[in-house]
Amino acid sequence: MKSHYLIAGLIATASGMAHAEVTMERLLAAGSEEEAGNWLMIGKTFDLNRFSSLDQINSGNVENLRLVMAAPIGGMEPAGFGIGAMQTTPLVDDGFLYLSDPWGTPYKYDLTSETAARPVWICDTGIDKDPSQGILLANRGLALSGNNVISVLPDGRVVACDSDTGDVVWDAQVATEVGEGFTNSPQVVGDKIIVGQSYGDWATRGWIAAIDANSGEELWRFYTIPEPGEPGSETWLCEQTGNPDCWKTGGGAAWVAGSYDPESNLVFWGTGNPVPMYDPEYRPGDNLYTNSTVALDADTGELAWYFQYTPGDYMDYDEVGPALLVETNIDGEDRKVMARFGRNGIFYTLDRNSGAYINSVAYVGNLNWTEGIDSKTGLPIEYDPEADLQSYAIGRITRAGDTATTCPNIQGGTNFFPTAYNPELGLAYAGGIEGCSDLSVRAVDPDDVLPGNIFIGGAGVNSGEQTGSINAVNVSTNTIEATLNTPYPLYGGVMASADLLWAGHLDGTFSAYNASNLEELWSMNVGTSFSAAPITFLVNGTQYVAITGGGLGVGGGLAPELSNMQAANMLWVFALDS
């Protein structure tokens, strides 16, 4: 399968692009001075902190930032849920930039001229873009492994493309059941590529798997929904429902890449809601390991520990968001922690070696689903370990016709949106949604549940105005240091560099903020909605900032005036005015 690029209207075969392979040694050094000019992983480093030490662009000169390069991206073909949004984090290695479109197709651009983002190749994955496919199009990024560019696809394949030529090196059908597929980004750990099954709401069973980086052969698989007899299966009380197989469509999708701790050799991956999301009577119990962080041995896939944030969830509070690995001092003790912004509106800090709860703080402006978090267990204070069906502070919605309003919105808080941590300031950052949702249940007969068809068991609709915010949390003191309220929800996530924080907005505005107090220092509206987070890197010694945008304005429904916003998928690259 050949790949080509276009120069001056002529097609030429890509060649002569040799570069250093992306080894585990380079990935481990991704935060070092030697690799500071590259962005080799979606989170910049294995800890997913999305922090760059580059400081050519800083709070003193960012007002002079200007657009210097732009390039169009494909992937506008619709699937069953319409046009996808650009959610990818680009990668950069030695002046060459790699990104994926919503279908997971990889692209390579040459930025070394510093005047244009020149297309080098588009890897032909052979994806069938049949618009009748009932899938939600999204792809959150690629991975670099050796001389390959790795992409996960909505049809459940993992594909390796040669980074020099764009030719397909290997193609593995990892997801094999009806309705399974990928929207996340792969995570490379040594000679393994770790991926997560993404379509839990499509009546599937979630899992995380490792495959061989050189062949695509599967090495291990961890199911986020245990089968009967396995640890955690006792939290699925399917026998009570007359549907003993409710676990088989239990959800628990793993649709955002995890972080990795080389010292413990653990990967930390977030899991989605139980399915159906609004009808716990279909699947009574705590429903492990949904709404959790699971810590898995990278070599074997064995579970080291888990922490479930909202047992028996009926509010659609997936907890797939990034797990930030942080070293900080808490109450006078140096700790290695996992910090994360929960979709349920609460910021959590856990011991990353044991999963033990340390502390938490609400970060959204309006939170009503719980009265608080138990200081010993980290669980909602309303949680009843003896109950088959939980009833949190908003009350339980039932098949009898009860409804409830839950805050934050069913999408968060912070959802899949990339978060960041600045180790020099000790601050963790997240952008998200400020708003509420109205929930209701619709019972579905088990005979009508078909894998591959979306299965939500009710409805969650926006309740009132939906706005946004960016929050900065001091991980050491467990306090909110700064909050910036925004007119629209933030879908794109954030990136930290030196003394700045960066974020793109749904209305097409790209902004840089003071990292300490979130004062806006620079912004530019480019006219394409942003659902992706930026990166920063060096080319020939000059610092650049890049972000992708376009596709479907995913603010639809959250911001009515943006609901029909569609624009070409684009790459935007910025630098200081010379």
Side-chain angles (χ1 to χ4, degrees):
M1 194 178 294
K2 289 294 183 182
S3 176
H4 300 90
Y5 66 101
L6 182 66
I7 296 180
L10 299 176
I11 299 293
T13 302
S15 61
M17 300 289 181
H19 60 88
E21 290 192 353
V22 179
T23 62
M24 186 61 175
E25 289 72 24
R26 290 189 67 196
L27 295 178
L28 288 169
S32 69
E33 182 177 350
E34 182 179 4
E35 294 287 357
N38 294 320
W39 194 285
L40 301 178
M41 294 181 278
I42 60 159
K44 172 62 176 173
T45 44
F46 277 122
D47 53 26
L48 294 189
N49 285 354
R50 300 186 67 87
F51 171 77
S52 172
S53 60
L54 298 180
D55 61 1
Q56 288 182 18
I57 302 171
N58 55 61
S59 60
N61 59 23
V62 70
E63 63 182 359
N64 298 319
L65 204 68
R66 63 185 178 92
L67 179 66
V68 294
M69 290 181 271
I73 306 165
M76 292 289 288
E77 303 89 343
F81 278 73
I83 295 172
M86 286 295 294
Q87 296 178 6
T88 187
T89 294
L91 306 178
V92 173
D93 185 14
D94 195 25
F96 290 91
L97 183 145
Y98 305 85
L99 59 79
S100 54
D101 69 21
W103 285 90
T105 300
Y107 297 68
K108 180 177 181 178
Y109 294 87
D110 181 354
L111 307 184
T112 58
S113 72
E114 301 189 72
T115 59
R118 303 185 187 280
V120 179
W121 51 248
I122 302 173
C123 182
D124 182 3
T125 66
I127 188 78
D128 180 6
K129 298 181 179 180
D130 182 352
S132 67
Q133 295 184 81
I135 56 176
L136 179 67
L137 286 181
N139 185 279
R140 299 183 174 97
L142 305 167
L144 302 178
S145 174
N147 200 46
N148 291 335
V149 179
I150 311 297
S151 183
V152 296
L153 304 180
D155 62 8
R157 288 181 297 134
V158 181
V159 175
C161 305
D162 185 283
S163 60
D164 292 330
T165 67
D167 296 337
V168 172
V169 178
W170 54 259
D171 181 336
Q173 185 70 55
V174 181
T176 57
E177 300 298 324
V178 174
E180 293 183 342
F182 301 115
T183 64
N184 51 12
S185 56
Q187 178 194 61
V188 174
V189 178
D191 58 358
K192 300 177 184 65
I193 297 167
I194 303 176
V195 297
Q197 204 280 104
S198 303
Y199 289 110
D201 293 345
W202 275 252
T204 65
R205 181 185 178 205
W207 47 261
I208 300 160
I211 62 177
D212 185 278
N214 297 309
S215 66
E217 177 186 0
E218 185 168 323
L219 302 173
W220 58 253
R221 181 176 296 210
F222 172 81
Y223 281 97
T224 62
I225 311 297
E227 66 180 39
E230 293 181 339
S233 63
E234 70 280 1
T235 67
W236 290 83
L237 306 178
C238 297
E239 295 288 347
Q240 296 184 7
T241 69
N243 176 28
D245 291 334
C246 77
W247 60 275
K248 291 183 178 179
T249 56
W255 45 282
V256 174
S259 50
Y260 172 64
D261 180 5
E263 183 176 329
S264 64
N265 198 39
L266 295 178
V267 293
F268 306 90
W269 213 290
T271 66
N273 57 270
V275 172
M277 62 182 69
Y278 302 120
D279 184 11
E281 293 177 73
Y282 188 93
R283 33 82 184 169
D286 286 358
N287 303 141
L288 289 174
Y289 296 95
T290 65
N291 297 78
S292 301
T293 295
V294 292
L296 307 177
D297 185 286
D299 290 335
T300 65
E302 293 182 4
L303 179 68
W305 59 259
Y306 74 90
F307 186 89
Q308 188 177 40
Y309 301 90
T310 312
D313 173 38
Y314 53 88
M315 297 164 288
D316 194 16
Y317 286 153
D318 302 63
E319 294 298 356
V320 299
L324 303 172
L325 304 186
V326 170
E327 296 186 18
T328 190
N329 187 285
I330 298 176
D331 296 329
E333 180 183 358
D334 291 335
R335 302 288 298 268
K336 294 183 178 182
V337 305
M338 188 205 76
R340 61 180 306 278
F341 291 85
R343 181 162 165 174
N344 63 14
I346 298 170
F347 178 84
Y348 293 85
T349 305
L350 308 178
D351 183 287
R352 72 176 186 238
N353 290 318
S354 67
Y357 171 79
I358 299 174
N359 53 38
S360 60
V361 61
Y363 67 90
V364 294
N366 187 358
L367 189 150
N368 74 345
W369 70 271
T370 180
E371 293 294 331
I373 298 299
D374 186 288
S375 61
K376 294 181 179 180
T377 66
L379 295 170
I381 60 175
E382 299 87 0
Y383 171 69
D384 181 357
E386 303 300 321
D388 297 344
L389 298 170
Q390 297 300 321
S391 182
Y392 293 113
I394 61 169
R396 186 166 59 84
I397 53 176
T398 70
R399 294 173 174 179
D402 303 316
T403 61
T405 297
T406 183
C407 311
N409 186 280
I410 56 173
Q411 298 194 62
T414 291
N415 196 303
F416 61 87
F417 322 139
T419 57
Y421 176 74
N422 185 322
E424 297 176 0
L425 299 175
L427 297 180
Y429 306 92
I433 303 168
E434 295 285 344
C436 306
S437 298
D438 294 329
L439 312 181
S440 61
V441 169
R442 181 178 70 86
V444 177
D445 189 289
D447 292 338
D448 294 330
V449 177
L450 301 175
N453 291 339
I454 195 164
F455 179 32
I456 60 177
V461 297
N462 295 325
S463 178
E465 184 181 19
Q466 310 295 310
T467 60
S469 65
I470 299 175
N471 284 280
V473 179
N474 186 310
V475 179
S476 177
T477 62
N478 193 43
T479 56
I480 309 296
E481 292 289 305
T483 296
L484 173 71
N485 293 310
T486 61
Y488 300 115
L490 278 89
Y491 256 69
V494 295
M495 182 266 291
S497 69
D499 60 352
L500 295 170
L501 186 76
W502 305 79
H505 299 262
L506 288 178
D507 68 350
T509 301
F510 183 40
S511 302
Y513 302 93
N514 180 295
S516 296
N517 59 24
L518 300 183
E519 175 190 1
E520 185 178 85
L521 303 177
W522 170 88
S523 69
M524 179 179 181
N525 192 295
V526 297
T528 58
S529 63
F530 289 113
S531 303
I535 65 169
T536 188
F537 51 91
L538 297 178
V539 179
N540 300 327
T542 299
Q543 184 180 357
Y544 293 85
V545 177
I547 187 171
T548 63
L552 175 65
V554 292
L558 292 175
E561 62 270 35
L562 303 180
S563 61
N564 293 316
M565 177 185 284
Q566 295 183 14
N569 295 331
M570 294 288 297
L571 167 69
W572 306 99
V573 184
F574 302 83
L576 293 175
D577 191 339
S578 58

